[in-house]
Structures are given as C-alpha cells and as structure tokens.
Amino acid sequence: MEKIIIIAHGSPKKEVNNLDFIVKELAIVLGKKVEDIKYAYLKYGSPSVDEAITKCVKEGAKRIIIHPFFLSSGSHVSFDIPKIIENIKKLYPQLEVLCTKPLGKSKKLVYIIKDLIEENL
C-alpha cells in the first residue's frame, strides 16, 4: 500500500494551514482515495510530519512518497526533510520512503504563473 504526504512549512495563522483542497484535487488527478494522501507541517501546523507518518504506517503503508510543498531547495528541503526521512527509515526499516523535488524544480510552474497573470488581465 502506498501513501503520499505533502509536507508544507506551516504558519502561525491557522487559517492558512489548510491543504485539504490540494489533497482532494491530487486524489482525483492520481486516481487515488483521498485517505491515501496526507498533509503535514514542519512548524506551526497540525498534523506534524511525525503524526502523518505514524498514521500512514498504522494504515498499512509499505511505501510513502513525500512531496515537499516548497518552491526551492532551501534548508527545509535540503536538510530538515532528508533528516526526517533518515529517521523514518531507522524507525521503520521495512518502509520504502521516496521524496520528490520541490515545486519550483518543475518547468510546469511557469504555466501556473502564466495562468495566474492572465486571470488578472
């Protein structure tokens, strides 16, 4: 069984910490159940990354795909998330853990920016 965790930074503004819409849309696009896609926050939000991972394992995940919901490979993507993955592998050696590139590494992002600009014209 495969689970996906979208990891975002999180904000002290609780109303900003809402990735439900991403999970729902991603489930449709990937043809997955909504419950197979989780989100988690590094700071200021709930659930934490550890909570999301634990939930995935309890639900029977054999593979977790982590997607850093960040634009660039700053310290969270370059250091914090790899450290989390290292710890996951120590706690759950039977678990396969994969990590995607952050959003900003995709050339498709320019089309999203283009769409957003055109919406305002």
Short mmCIF file of all heavy atoms in Angstrom, two decimals, residues 23-50:
data_model
loop_
_atom_site.label_atom_id
_atom_site.label_comp_id
_atom_site.label_asym_id
_atom_site.label_seq_id
_atom_site.Cartn_x
_atom_site.Cartn_y
_atom_site.Cartn_z
N VAL A 23 -5.14 17.99 -1.38
CA VAL A 23 -5.31 16.54 -1.21
C VAL A 23 -6.47 16.04 -2.07
O VAL A 23 -6.35 15.04 -2.78
CB VAL A 23 -5.52 16.19 0.29
CG1 VAL A 23 -6.00 14.76 0.45
CG2 VAL A 23 -4.24 16.42 1.06
N LYS A 24 -7.59 16.74 -2.04
CA LYS A 24 -8.76 16.32 -2.81
C LYS A 24 -8.49 16.34 -4.31
O LYS A 24 -8.82 15.39 -5.03
CB LYS A 24 -9.96 17.20 -2.46
CG LYS A 24 -10.49 16.95 -1.06
CD LYS A 24 -11.58 17.93 -0.69
CE LYS A 24 -11.99 17.72 0.76
NZ LYS A 24 -12.86 18.78 1.24
N GLU A 25 -7.89 17.41 -4.79
CA GLU A 25 -7.60 17.51 -6.22
C GLU A 25 -6.54 16.51 -6.65
O GLU A 25 -6.63 15.91 -7.71
CB GLU A 25 -7.16 18.94 -6.58
CG GLU A 25 -8.26 19.97 -6.45
CD GLU A 25 -9.44 19.70 -7.38
OE1 GLU A 25 -9.23 19.35 -8.56
OE2 GLU A 25 -10.59 19.83 -6.91
N LEU A 26 -5.52 16.32 -5.84
CA LEU A 26 -4.46 15.36 -6.16
C LEU A 26 -5.01 13.94 -6.21
O LEU A 26 -4.64 13.15 -7.08
CB LEU A 26 -3.32 15.47 -5.14
CG LEU A 26 -2.05 14.69 -5.45
CD1 LEU A 26 -1.46 15.09 -6.79
CD2 LEU A 26 -1.03 14.90 -4.33
N ALA A 27 -5.91 13.62 -5.30
CA ALA A 27 -6.53 12.29 -5.31
C ALA A 27 -7.27 12.05 -6.62
O ALA A 27 -7.15 10.98 -7.22
CB ALA A 27 -7.49 12.14 -4.12
N ILE A 28 -7.98 13.05 -7.10
CA ILE A 28 -8.70 12.93 -8.37
C ILE A 28 -7.72 12.72 -9.52
O ILE A 28 -7.87 11.81 -10.33
CB ILE A 28 -9.58 14.18 -8.62
CG1 ILE A 28 -10.73 14.21 -7.61
CG2 ILE A 28 -10.10 14.20 -10.05
CD1 ILE A 28 -11.47 15.54 -7.56
N VAL A 29 -6.70 13.58 -9.58
CA VAL A 29 -5.72 13.52 -10.67
C VAL A 29 -4.97 12.19 -10.69
O VAL A 29 -4.72 11.62 -11.75
CB VAL A 29 -4.74 14.71 -10.57
CG1 VAL A 29 -3.56 14.54 -11.51
CG2 VAL A 29 -5.44 16.02 -10.85
N LEU A 30 -4.63 11.68 -9.50
CA LEU A 30 -3.87 10.43 -9.41
C LEU A 30 -4.76 9.18 -9.41
O LEU A 30 -4.24 8.07 -9.46
CB LEU A 30 -2.99 10.42 -8.15
CG LEU A 30 -1.88 11.46 -8.09
CD1 LEU A 30 -1.18 11.40 -6.74
CD2 LEU A 30 -0.87 11.25 -9.23
N GLY A 31 -6.06 9.37 -9.30
CA GLY A 31 -6.96 8.23 -9.23
C GLY A 31 -6.80 7.46 -7.93
O GLY A 31 -6.90 6.23 -7.90
N LYS A 32 -6.55 8.18 -6.84
CA LYS A 32 -6.34 7.56 -5.53
C LYS A 32 -7.48 7.95 -4.59
O LYS A 32 -8.22 8.89 -4.85
CB LYS A 32 -5.01 8.00 -4.92
CG LYS A 32 -3.80 7.47 -5.64
CD LYS A 32 -2.55 7.77 -4.82
CE LYS A 32 -1.37 7.02 -5.36
NZ LYS A 32 -1.35 5.62 -5.02
N LYS A 33 -7.56 7.23 -3.49
CA LYS A 33 -8.50 7.60 -2.44
C LYS A 33 -7.94 8.79 -1.68
O LYS A 33 -6.73 8.87 -1.45
CB LYS A 33 -8.70 6.44 -1.47
CG LYS A 33 -9.31 5.21 -2.10
CD LYS A 33 -9.38 4.11 -1.06
CE LYS A 33 -9.83 2.81 -1.70
NZ LYS A 33 -9.73 1.69 -0.76
N VAL A 34 -8.82 9.68 -1.26
CA VAL A 34 -8.38 10.86 -0.51
C VAL A 34 -7.62 10.44 0.75
O VAL A 34 -6.63 11.08 1.13
CB VAL A 34 -9.60 11.75 -0.15
CG1 VAL A 34 -9.20 12.88 0.79
CG2 VAL A 34 -10.23 12.32 -1.40
N GLU A 35 -8.04 9.35 1.38
CA GLU A 35 -7.38 8.93 2.62
C GLU A 35 -5.96 8.39 2.41
O GLU A 35 -5.22 8.19 3.37
CB GLU A 35 -8.23 7.91 3.39
CG GLU A 35 -8.72 6.75 2.58
CD GLU A 35 -10.07 6.99 1.88
OE1 GLU A 35 -10.61 8.09 1.89
OE2 GLU A 35 -10.56 6.03 1.29
N ASP A 36 -5.56 8.18 1.16
CA ASP A 36 -4.20 7.73 0.87
C ASP A 36 -3.22 8.89 0.69
O ASP A 36 -2.03 8.69 0.47
CB ASP A 36 -4.17 6.84 -0.37
CG ASP A 36 -4.80 5.48 -0.11
OD1 ASP A 36 -4.83 5.05 1.07
OD2 ASP A 36 -5.27 4.84 -1.07
N ILE A 37 -3.75 10.11 0.77
CA ILE A 37 -2.91 11.30 0.64
C ILE A 37 -3.08 12.13 1.90
O ILE A 37 -4.18 12.46 2.32
CB ILE A 37 -3.30 12.12 -0.60
CG1 ILE A 37 -3.22 11.24 -1.86
CG2 ILE A 37 -2.40 13.34 -0.73
CD1 ILE A 37 -3.76 11.88 -3.11
N LYS A 38 -1.97 12.43 2.53
CA LYS A 38 -1.97 13.19 3.78
C LYS A 38 -1.20 14.49 3.57
O LYS A 38 -0.45 14.63 2.61
CB LYS A 38 -1.27 12.41 4.90
CG LYS A 38 -1.64 10.96 5.02
CD LYS A 38 -2.84 10.75 5.86
CE LYS A 38 -3.07 9.27 6.11
NZ LYS A 38 -4.40 8.84 5.77
N TYR A 39 -1.39 15.40 4.47
CA TYR A 39 -0.53 16.58 4.51
C TYR A 39 -0.01 16.74 5.93
O TYR A 39 -0.59 16.22 6.88
CB TYR A 39 -1.24 17.85 4.03
CG TYR A 39 -2.47 18.22 4.79
CD1 TYR A 39 -2.39 18.96 5.97
CD2 TYR A 39 -3.73 17.86 4.33
CE1 TYR A 39 -3.53 19.32 6.68
CE2 TYR A 39 -4.88 18.22 5.03
CZ TYR A 39 -4.77 18.94 6.19
OH TYR A 39 -5.89 19.29 6.88
N ALA A 40 1.12 17.43 6.04
CA ALA A 40 1.74 17.63 7.34
C ALA A 40 2.54 18.93 7.30
O ALA A 40 2.88 19.43 6.23
CB ALA A 40 2.66 16.45 7.66
N TYR A 41 2.82 19.43 8.49
CA TYR A 41 3.53 20.70 8.60
C TYR A 41 4.80 20.54 9.42
O TYR A 41 4.83 19.82 10.41
CB TYR A 41 2.62 21.75 9.25
CG TYR A 41 1.38 21.99 8.45
CD1 TYR A 41 0.17 21.39 8.80
CD2 TYR A 41 1.41 22.79 7.32
CE1 TYR A 41 -0.98 21.60 8.04
CE2 TYR A 41 0.27 23.00 6.55
CZ TYR A 41 -0.91 22.40 6.92
OH TYR A 41 -2.04 22.60 6.17
N LEU A 42 5.83 21.25 8.99
CA LEU A 42 7.10 21.24 9.71
C LEU A 42 7.00 22.09 10.98
O LEU A 42 7.60 21.76 12.00
CB LEU A 42 8.23 21.76 8.83
CG LEU A 42 8.64 20.85 7.68
CD1 LEU A 42 9.60 21.57 6.75
CD2 LEU A 42 9.27 19.57 8.20
N LYS A 43 6.26 23.19 10.90
CA LYS A 43 6.11 24.11 12.03
C LYS A 43 4.69 24.66 12.04
O LYS A 43 4.05 24.77 11.00
CB LYS A 43 7.07 25.30 11.91
CG LYS A 43 8.52 24.97 12.07
CD LYS A 43 9.33 26.26 12.02
CE LYS A 43 10.78 25.98 12.34
NZ LYS A 43 11.55 27.21 12.44
N TYR A 44 4.25 25.03 13.21
CA TYR A 44 3.03 25.81 13.41
C TYR A 44 1.72 25.15 13.00
O TYR A 44 0.67 25.74 13.17
CB TYR A 44 3.11 27.17 12.68
CG TYR A 44 4.32 27.98 13.01
CD1 TYR A 44 5.26 28.26 12.03
CD2 TYR A 44 4.52 28.46 14.29
CE1 TYR A 44 6.39 29.02 12.33
CE2 TYR A 44 5.64 29.22 14.60
CZ TYR A 44 6.56 29.50 13.61
OH TYR A 44 7.66 30.24 13.91
N GLY A 45 1.75 23.99 12.41
CA GLY A 45 0.51 23.38 11.95
C GLY A 45 0.34 21.97 12.44
O GLY A 45 1.25 21.35 12.97
N SER A 46 -0.84 21.47 12.22
CA SER A 46 -1.16 20.11 12.60
C SER A 46 -1.88 19.45 11.44
O SER A 46 -2.70 20.10 10.79
CB SER A 46 -2.05 20.14 13.84
OG SER A 46 -2.35 18.84 14.27
N PRO A 47 -1.54 18.22 11.14
CA PRO A 47 -0.67 17.32 11.87
C PRO A 47 0.81 17.60 11.59
O PRO A 47 1.17 18.17 10.57
CB PRO A 47 -1.06 15.93 11.35
CG PRO A 47 -1.51 16.19 9.94
CD PRO A 47 -2.16 17.55 9.98
N SER A 48 1.63 17.16 12.52
CA SER A 48 3.08 17.24 12.31
C SER A 48 3.48 16.14 11.32
O SER A 48 2.70 15.23 11.04
CB SER A 48 3.82 17.03 13.63
OG SER A 48 3.69 15.68 14.06
N VAL A 49 4.69 16.23 10.84
CA VAL A 49 5.19 15.21 9.91
C VAL A 49 5.23 13.85 10.61
O VAL A 49 4.80 12.85 10.03
CB VAL A 49 6.58 15.60 9.36
CG1 VAL A 49 7.12 14.51 8.46
CG2 VAL A 49 6.50 16.92 8.60
N ASP A 50 5.70 13.81 11.85
CA ASP A 50 5.74 12.55 12.59
C ASP A 50 4.35 11.94 12.75
O ASP A 50 4.19 10.72 12.62
CB ASP A 50 6.38 12.75 13.97
CG ASP A 50 7.87 12.99 13.90
OD1 ASP A 50 8.50 12.66 12.87
OD2 ASP A 50 8.43 13.52 14.88
#
